[in-house]
Amino acid sequence: MNILLIIFLGGGTGATFRYLISELINKLIPTSIGYGTISVNLIGAFLMGALFYFISSKLLINEQVKIFLTIGFLGGFTTFSSFNLDFYNLIEASNYLQAIIYLSISVIGSIILFFVGLSLVKFLFLFFLRFSIM
């Protein structure tokens, strides 16, 4: 399959999930801080960490699947441009403390959840591999 089509399909799927999850969370937690954007970025970081384990340990071999999931789906799912707009809107509204909280949760949380996703999948894989060999 054409690589651009794979990215297009993954990106559209990821963007659709981003919209649905972000809207749901923003309705559940209606504040000036964009918790929907924060949530999809944190979920995306976790998923990228989990996928990275499979990719780096050669468990996910198919290049088209890797591209669909990482560049396509997660590229469309996470949203740095929306993050920038949410941050800008908080600054423009003089909500400086909320802007710092938003920035901190998004950046630090994404890094932490990347490693949590990677570690969790690695642990689970090794755990199940150990018991399937016995």
Side-chain angles (χ1 to χ4, degrees), residues 1-11 62-73:
M1 185 182 289
N2 182 322
I3 199 77
L4 295 178
L5 180 59
I6 291 169
I7 294 168
F8 173 77
L9 293 173
N62 187 313
E63 191 66 25
Q64 292 177 333
V65 173
K66 284 192 269 187
I67 289 170
F68 175 86
L69 292 173
T70 57
I71 297 170
F73 182 81

PDB file of all heavy atoms in Angstrom, residues 1-11 62-73:
ATOM      1  N   MET A   1       0.851  -1.178   0.000  1.00  0.00           N
ATOM      2  CA  MET A   1       0.000   0.000   0.000  1.00  0.00           C
ATOM      3  C   MET A   1       0.896   1.239   0.000  1.00  0.00           C
ATOM      4  O   MET A   1       1.945   1.259   0.631  1.00  0.00           O
ATOM      5  CB  MET A   1      -0.909  -0.013   1.233  1.00  0.00           C
ATOM      6  CG  MET A   1      -1.906   1.125   1.248  1.00  0.00           C
ATOM      7  SD  MET A   1      -2.965   1.206   2.719  1.00  0.00           S
ATOM      8  CE  MET A   1      -4.018  -0.194   2.483  1.00  0.00           C
ATOM      9  N   ASN A   2       0.471   2.268  -0.662  1.00  0.00           N
ATOM     10  CA  ASN A   2       1.206   3.513  -0.747  1.00  0.00           C
ATOM     11  C   ASN A   2       1.400   4.099   0.651  1.00  0.00           C
ATOM     12  O   ASN A   2       0.461   4.216   1.424  1.00  0.00           O
ATOM     13  CB  ASN A   2       0.434   4.480  -1.641  1.00  0.00           C
ATOM     14  CG  ASN A   2       1.141   5.793  -1.837  1.00  0.00           C
ATOM     15  OD1 ASN A   2       1.768   6.331  -0.927  1.00  0.00           O
ATOM     16  ND2 ASN A   2       1.023   6.330  -3.032  1.00  0.00           N
ATOM     17  N   ILE A   3       2.636   4.500   0.959  1.00  0.00           N
ATOM     18  CA  ILE A   3       2.993   4.999   2.283  1.00  0.00           C
ATOM     19  C   ILE A   3       2.189   6.250   2.642  1.00  0.00           C
ATOM     20  O   ILE A   3       1.787   6.438   3.797  1.00  0.00           O
ATOM     21  CB  ILE A   3       4.521   5.232   2.399  1.00  0.00           C
ATOM     22  CG1 ILE A   3       4.941   5.284   3.853  1.00  0.00           C
ATOM     23  CG2 ILE A   3       4.966   6.470   1.692  1.00  0.00           C
ATOM     24  CD1 ILE A   3       5.003   3.957   4.476  1.00  0.00           C
ATOM     25  N   LEU A   4       1.931   7.124   1.680  1.00  0.00           N
ATOM     26  CA  LEU A   4       1.151   8.333   1.954  1.00  0.00           C
ATOM     27  C   LEU A   4      -0.295   7.990   2.298  1.00  0.00           C
ATOM     28  O   LEU A   4      -0.904   8.646   3.145  1.00  0.00           O
ATOM     29  CB  LEU A   4       1.219   9.291   0.763  1.00  0.00           C
ATOM     30  CG  LEU A   4       2.599   9.870   0.461  1.00  0.00           C
ATOM     31  CD1 LEU A   4       2.541  10.759  -0.774  1.00  0.00           C
ATOM     32  CD2 LEU A   4       3.148  10.626   1.654  1.00  0.00           C
ATOM     33  N   LEU A   5      -0.833   6.979   1.663  1.00  0.00           N
ATOM     34  CA  LEU A   5      -2.191   6.538   1.984  1.00  0.00           C
ATOM     35  C   LEU A   5      -2.258   5.960   3.395  1.00  0.00           C
ATOM     36  O   LEU A   5      -3.205   6.211   4.141  1.00  0.00           O
ATOM     37  CB  LEU A   5      -2.674   5.504   0.963  1.00  0.00           C
ATOM     38  CG  LEU A   5      -4.089   4.954   1.163  1.00  0.00           C
ATOM     39  CD1 LEU A   5      -5.124   6.086   1.138  1.00  0.00           C
ATOM     40  CD2 LEU A   5      -4.404   3.919   0.100  1.00  0.00           C
ATOM     41  N   ILE A   6      -1.226   5.222   3.773  1.00  0.00           N
ATOM     42  CA  ILE A   6      -1.162   4.654   5.123  1.00  0.00           C
ATOM     43  C   ILE A   6      -1.136   5.768   6.160  1.00  0.00           C
ATOM     44  O   ILE A   6      -1.863   5.732   7.159  1.00  0.00           O
ATOM     45  CB  ILE A   6       0.080   3.741   5.256  1.00  0.00           C
ATOM     46  CG1 ILE A   6      -0.104   2.488   4.412  1.00  0.00           C
ATOM     47  CG2 ILE A   6       0.349   3.386   6.713  1.00  0.00           C
ATOM     48  CD1 ILE A   6       1.145   1.663   4.252  1.00  0.00           C
ATOM     49  N   ILE A   7      -0.311   6.792   5.936  1.00  0.00           N
ATOM     50  CA  ILE A   7      -0.234   7.927   6.860  1.00  0.00           C
ATOM     51  C   ILE A   7      -1.565   8.672   6.885  1.00  0.00           C
ATOM     52  O   ILE A   7      -2.052   9.059   7.951  1.00  0.00           O
ATOM     53  CB  ILE A   7       0.931   8.859   6.472  1.00  0.00           C
ATOM     54  CG1 ILE A   7       2.270   8.137   6.670  1.00  0.00           C
ATOM     55  CG2 ILE A   7       0.891  10.162   7.269  1.00  0.00           C
ATOM     56  CD1 ILE A   7       3.461   8.851   6.059  1.00  0.00           C
ATOM     57  N   PHE A   8      -2.158   8.871   5.726  1.00  0.00           N
ATOM     58  CA  PHE A   8      -3.445   9.560   5.621  1.00  0.00           C
ATOM     59  C   PHE A   8      -4.532   8.834   6.419  1.00  0.00           C
ATOM     60  O   PHE A   8      -5.269   9.450   7.192  1.00  0.00           O
ATOM     61  CB  PHE A   8      -3.837   9.663   4.141  1.00  0.00           C
ATOM     62  CG  PHE A   8      -5.210  10.199   3.899  1.00  0.00           C
ATOM     63  CD1 PHE A   8      -5.473  11.557   4.014  1.00  0.00           C
ATOM     64  CD2 PHE A   8      -6.250   9.347   3.566  1.00  0.00           C
ATOM     65  CE1 PHE A   8      -6.752  12.057   3.786  1.00  0.00           C
ATOM     66  CE2 PHE A   8      -7.527   9.829   3.342  1.00  0.00           C
ATOM     67  CZ  PHE A   8      -7.782  11.195   3.447  1.00  0.00           C
ATOM     68  N   LEU A   9      -4.621   7.536   6.252  1.00  0.00           N
ATOM     69  CA  LEU A   9      -5.646   6.760   6.962  1.00  0.00           C
ATOM     70  C   LEU A   9      -5.396   6.752   8.473  1.00  0.00           C
ATOM     71  O   LEU A   9      -6.323   6.917   9.264  1.00  0.00           O
ATOM     72  CB  LEU A   9      -5.690   5.332   6.423  1.00  0.00           C
ATOM     73  CG  LEU A   9      -6.179   5.177   4.986  1.00  0.00           C
ATOM     74  CD1 LEU A   9      -6.003   3.738   4.510  1.00  0.00           C
ATOM     75  CD2 LEU A   9      -7.618   5.630   4.845  1.00  0.00           C
ATOM     76  N   GLY A  10      -4.131   6.588   8.864  1.00  0.00           N
ATOM     77  CA  GLY A  10      -3.797   6.620  10.282  1.00  0.00           C
ATOM     78  C   GLY A  10      -4.046   7.985  10.898  1.00  0.00           C
ATOM     79  O   GLY A  10      -4.606   8.107  11.992  1.00  0.00           O
ATOM     80  N   GLY A  11      -3.650   9.029  10.194  1.00  0.00           N
ATOM     81  CA  GLY A  11      -3.845  10.391  10.690  1.00  0.00           C
ATOM     82  C   GLY A  11      -5.312  10.753  10.830  1.00  0.00           C
ATOM     83  O   GLY A  11      -5.720  11.371  11.820  1.00  0.00           O
ATOM     84  N   ASN A  62       6.424  -5.182  10.801  1.00  0.00           N
ATOM     85  CA  ASN A  62       5.831  -4.619   9.598  1.00  0.00           C
ATOM     86  C   ASN A  62       5.972  -3.095   9.569  1.00  0.00           C
ATOM     87  O   ASN A  62       5.410  -2.385  10.391  1.00  0.00           O
ATOM     88  CB  ASN A  62       4.347  -5.023   9.529  1.00  0.00           C
ATOM     89  CG  ASN A  62       3.708  -4.618   8.228  1.00  0.00           C
ATOM     90  OD1 ASN A  62       3.856  -3.487   7.775  1.00  0.00           O
ATOM     91  ND2 ASN A  62       2.976  -5.536   7.638  1.00  0.00           N
ATOM     92  N   GLU A  63       6.720  -2.600   8.619  1.00  0.00           N
ATOM     93  CA  GLU A  63       7.007  -1.166   8.496  1.00  0.00           C
ATOM     94  C   GLU A  63       5.739  -0.357   8.255  1.00  0.00           C
ATOM     95  O   GLU A  63       5.587   0.746   8.764  1.00  0.00           O
ATOM     96  CB  GLU A  63       8.016  -0.939   7.368  1.00  0.00           C
ATOM     97  CG  GLU A  63       8.585   0.445   7.323  1.00  0.00           C
ATOM     98  CD  GLU A  63       9.445   0.800   8.527  1.00  0.00           C
ATOM     99  OE1 GLU A  63      10.008  -0.098   9.180  1.00  0.00           O
ATOM    100  OE2 GLU A  63       9.568   2.005   8.809  1.00  0.00           O
ATOM    101  N   GLN A  64       4.805  -0.905   7.496  1.00  0.00           N
ATOM    102  CA  GLN A  64       3.562  -0.189   7.221  1.00  0.00           C
ATOM    103  C   GLN A  64       2.719  -0.018   8.483  1.00  0.00           C
ATOM    104  O   GLN A  64       2.124   1.038   8.690  1.00  0.00           O
ATOM    105  CB  GLN A  64       2.767  -0.923   6.139  1.00  0.00           C
ATOM    106  CG  GLN A  64       3.439  -0.877   4.783  1.00  0.00           C
ATOM    107  CD  GLN A  64       2.684  -1.659   3.728  1.00  0.00           C
ATOM    108  OE1 GLN A  64       1.979  -2.612   4.029  1.00  0.00           O
ATOM    109  NE2 GLN A  64       2.846  -1.253   2.475  1.00  0.00           N
ATOM    110  N   VAL A  65       2.696  -1.029   9.333  1.00  0.00           N
ATOM    111  CA  VAL A  65       1.955  -0.933  10.594  1.00  0.00           C
ATOM    112  C   VAL A  65       2.620   0.100  11.506  1.00  0.00           C
ATOM    113  O   VAL A  65       1.941   0.913  12.140  1.00  0.00           O
ATOM    114  CB  VAL A  65       1.856  -2.302  11.300  1.00  0.00           C
ATOM    115  CG1 VAL A  65       1.245  -2.171  12.679  1.00  0.00           C
ATOM    116  CG2 VAL A  65       1.066  -3.282  10.444  1.00  0.00           C
ATOM    117  N   LYS A  66       3.937   0.100  11.571  1.00  0.00           N
ATOM    118  CA  LYS A  66       4.669   1.088  12.380  1.00  0.00           C
ATOM    119  C   LYS A  66       4.329   2.501  11.925  1.00  0.00           C
ATOM    120  O   LYS A  66       4.039   3.377  12.746  1.00  0.00           O
ATOM    121  CB  LYS A  66       6.178   0.879  12.276  1.00  0.00           C
ATOM    122  CG  LYS A  66       6.706  -0.272  13.074  1.00  0.00           C
ATOM    123  CD  LYS A  66       8.222  -0.221  13.151  1.00  0.00           C
ATOM    124  CE  LYS A  66       8.853  -0.995  12.037  1.00  0.00           C
ATOM    125  NZ  LYS A  66      10.307  -1.134  12.144  1.00  0.00           N
ATOM    126  N   ILE A  67       4.362   2.724  10.634  1.00  0.00           N
ATOM    127  CA  ILE A  67       4.097   4.053  10.091  1.00  0.00           C
ATOM    128  C   ILE A  67       2.641   4.446  10.331  1.00  0.00           C
ATOM    129  O   ILE A  67       2.349   5.583  10.706  1.00  0.00           O
ATOM    130  CB  ILE A  67       4.476   4.110   8.602  1.00  0.00           C
ATOM    131  CG1 ILE A  67       6.002   4.056   8.482  1.00  0.00           C
ATOM    132  CG2 ILE A  67       3.913   5.345   7.923  1.00  0.00           C
ATOM    133  CD1 ILE A  67       6.515   3.872   7.080  1.00  0.00           C
ATOM    134  N   PHE A  68       1.711   3.514  10.131  1.00  0.00           N
ATOM    135  CA  PHE A  68       0.295   3.792  10.376  1.00  0.00           C
ATOM    136  C   PHE A  68       0.086   4.233  11.826  1.00  0.00           C
ATOM    137  O   PHE A  68      -0.596   5.225  12.085  1.00  0.00           O
ATOM    138  CB  PHE A  68      -0.554   2.546  10.076  1.00  0.00           C
ATOM    139  CG  PHE A  68      -2.008   2.716  10.415  1.00  0.00           C
ATOM    140  CD1 PHE A  68      -2.886   3.286   9.504  1.00  0.00           C
ATOM    141  CD2 PHE A  68      -2.510   2.314  11.651  1.00  0.00           C
ATOM    142  CE1 PHE A  68      -4.234   3.458   9.817  1.00  0.00           C
ATOM    143  CE2 PHE A  68      -3.848   2.476  11.969  1.00  0.00           C
ATOM    144  CZ  PHE A  68      -4.713   3.050  11.050  1.00  0.00           C
ATOM    145  N   LEU A  69       0.679   3.492  12.774  1.00  0.00           N
ATOM    146  CA  LEU A  69       0.446   3.767  14.190  1.00  0.00           C
ATOM    147  C   LEU A  69       1.198   4.990  14.707  1.00  0.00           C
ATOM    148  O   LEU A  69       0.623   5.796  15.454  1.00  0.00           O
ATOM    149  CB  LEU A  69       0.814   2.541  15.029  1.00  0.00           C
ATOM    150  CG  LEU A  69      -0.083   1.318  14.844  1.00  0.00           C
ATOM    151  CD1 LEU A  69       0.494   0.121  15.597  1.00  0.00           C
ATOM    152  CD2 LEU A  69      -1.506   1.605  15.285  1.00  0.00           C
ATOM    153  N   THR A  70       2.463   5.145  14.339  1.00  0.00           N
ATOM    154  CA  THR A  70       3.268   6.231  14.917  1.00  0.00           C
ATOM    155  C   THR A  70       3.075   7.552  14.174  1.00  0.00           C
ATOM    156  O   THR A  70       2.602   8.529  14.756  1.00  0.00           O
ATOM    157  CB  THR A  70       4.760   5.857  14.951  1.00  0.00           C
ATOM    158  OG1 THR A  70       5.205   5.532  13.635  1.00  0.00           O
ATOM    159  CG2 THR A  70       5.006   4.688  15.883  1.00  0.00           C
ATOM    160  N   ILE A  71       3.425   7.585  12.909  1.00  0.00           N
ATOM    161  CA  ILE A  71       3.313   8.831  12.141  1.00  0.00           C
ATOM    162  C   ILE A  71       1.850   9.167  11.869  1.00  0.00           C
ATOM    163  O   ILE A  71       1.422  10.312  12.039  1.00  0.00           O
ATOM    164  CB  ILE A  71       4.094   8.730  10.821  1.00  0.00           C
ATOM    165  CG1 ILE A  71       5.583   8.542  11.106  1.00  0.00           C
ATOM    166  CG2 ILE A  71       3.865   9.974   9.958  1.00  0.00           C
ATOM    167  CD1 ILE A  71       6.410   8.194   9.886  1.00  0.00           C
ATOM    168  N   GLY A  72       1.077   8.161  11.470  1.00  0.00           N
ATOM    169  CA  GLY A  72      -0.327   8.400  11.130  1.00  0.00           C
ATOM    170  C   GLY A  72      -1.207   8.588  12.346  1.00  0.00           C
ATOM    171  O   GLY A  72      -1.588   9.711  12.687  1.00  0.00           O
ATOM    172  N   PHE A  73      -1.536   7.478  13.026  1.00  0.00           N
ATOM    173  CA  PHE A  73      -2.512   7.530  14.119  1.00  0.00           C
ATOM    174  C   PHE A  73      -2.081   8.461  15.248  1.00  0.00           C
ATOM    175  O   PHE A  73      -2.810   9.382  15.625  1.00  0.00           O
ATOM    176  CB  PHE A  73      -2.803   6.133  14.674  1.00  0.00           C
ATOM    177  CG  PHE A  73      -3.827   6.151  15.764  1.00  0.00           C
ATOM    178  CD1 PHE A  73      -5.180   6.196  15.453  1.00  0.00           C
ATOM    179  CD2 PHE A  73      -3.453   6.157  17.104  1.00  0.00           C
ATOM    180  CE1 PHE A  73      -6.145   6.243  16.456  1.00  0.00           C
ATOM    181  CE2 PHE A  73      -4.408   6.208  18.107  1.00  0.00           C
ATOM    182  CZ  PHE A  73      -5.752   6.242  17.783  1.00  0.00           C
TER     183      PHE A  73
END
